[in-house]
Amino acid sequence: MKKVLILITGILFLNNSFGQEIELKLSLLGYNFSQNGQRLNWKELATVTESHVEANMLIKKAKSHNTISSVLSLIGGGLIGIPIGQSITDQEPNWILAYIGGGVAVISVPFTFSAFNKVNKGIDKYNLSLRSTSKSVMKPEFSIIADRNGLGISINF
């Protein structure tokens, strides 16, 4: 039992070095970033990743592309909504506005994909840099031991 407890403690100690990783989840309303169970917004995400320059630049570009995409989508949706509102109120709808709004909304799609790809790459680069630094500090070696008492796992630091 004592050996199992030591093994579990060792594994938890190894996993503890990866606790600073940033997680990205998509929701209906946008991106959800979290680190150690705490939610981060775009500004906090940029601040956290300042230690890794390349990841930070990708995240800043993703933030600007996300802003552009949101603005274009809002304008496009508004232009589409005006003629729909006019038709509901029995006015003569100006469908040219809806066509223009559809075009503006379509223009926002590449910015949306670009923002997602850049933030995903930035977070991956940041998380990989954490893993590489934790491995360089501590390089455990695992080996299987078999003797007259049975089988076991040896962890050398």
Side-chain angles (χ1 to χ4, degrees):
M1 182 65 182
K2 191 175 185 180
K3 292 179 184 179
V4 172
L5 185 62
I6 291 172
L7 179 66
I8 291 172
T9 304
I11 291 171
L12 289 176
F13 179 71
L14 287 174
N15 287 336
N16 196 20
S17 64
F18 303 127
Q20 299 296 320
E21 290 185 354
I22 298 172
E23 295 178 9
L24 167 67
K25 294 182 182 174
L26 292 175
S27 69
L28 187 61
L29 299 176
Y31 303 104
N32 292 327
F33 308 109
S34 63
Q35 183 181 31
N36 296 334
Q38 292 183 328
R39 289 191 62 182
L40 301 172
N41 59 25
W42 280 99
K43 190 174 187 179
E44 293 168 340
L45 180 66
T47 304
V48 167
T49 59
E50 284 179 346
S51 62
H52 192 279
V53 177
E54 189 177 355
N56 192 358
M57 291 303 294
L58 283 169
I59 288 171
K60 286 181 179 179
K61 286 180 184 177
K63 180 181 175 187
S64 65
H65 284 210
N66 187 49
T67 304
I68 292 169
S69 171
S70 297
V71 168
L72 289 175
S73 298
L74 182 67
I75 291 170
L79 289 174
I80 292 170
I82 290 172
I84 293 173
Q86 289 173 342
S87 67
I88 290 173
T89 59
D90 294 330
Q91 296 177 5
E92 184 63 33
N94 187 358
W95 292 112
I96 295 174
L97 286 178
Y99 298 139
I100 294 171
V104 171
V106 167
I107 291 172
S108 73
V109 172
F111 286 103
T112 303
F113 286 129
S114 174
F116 174 74
N117 288 335
K118 287 185 188 313
V119 76
N120 206 8
K121 285 180 186 176
I123 288 174
D124 284 345
K125 286 184 184 286
Y126 177 77
N127 288 341
L128 285 174
S129 73
L130 288 178
R131 290 181 187 155
S132 65
T133 57
S134 66
K135 285 182 182 176
S136 65
V137 172
M138 180 178 63
K139 295 183 179 179
E141 296 177 13
F142 297 96
S143 58
I144 297 175
I145 300 173
D147 61 7
R148 65 177 182 207
N149 293 329
L151 291 173
I153 296 177
S154 171
I155 303 174
N156 296 325
F157 298 99

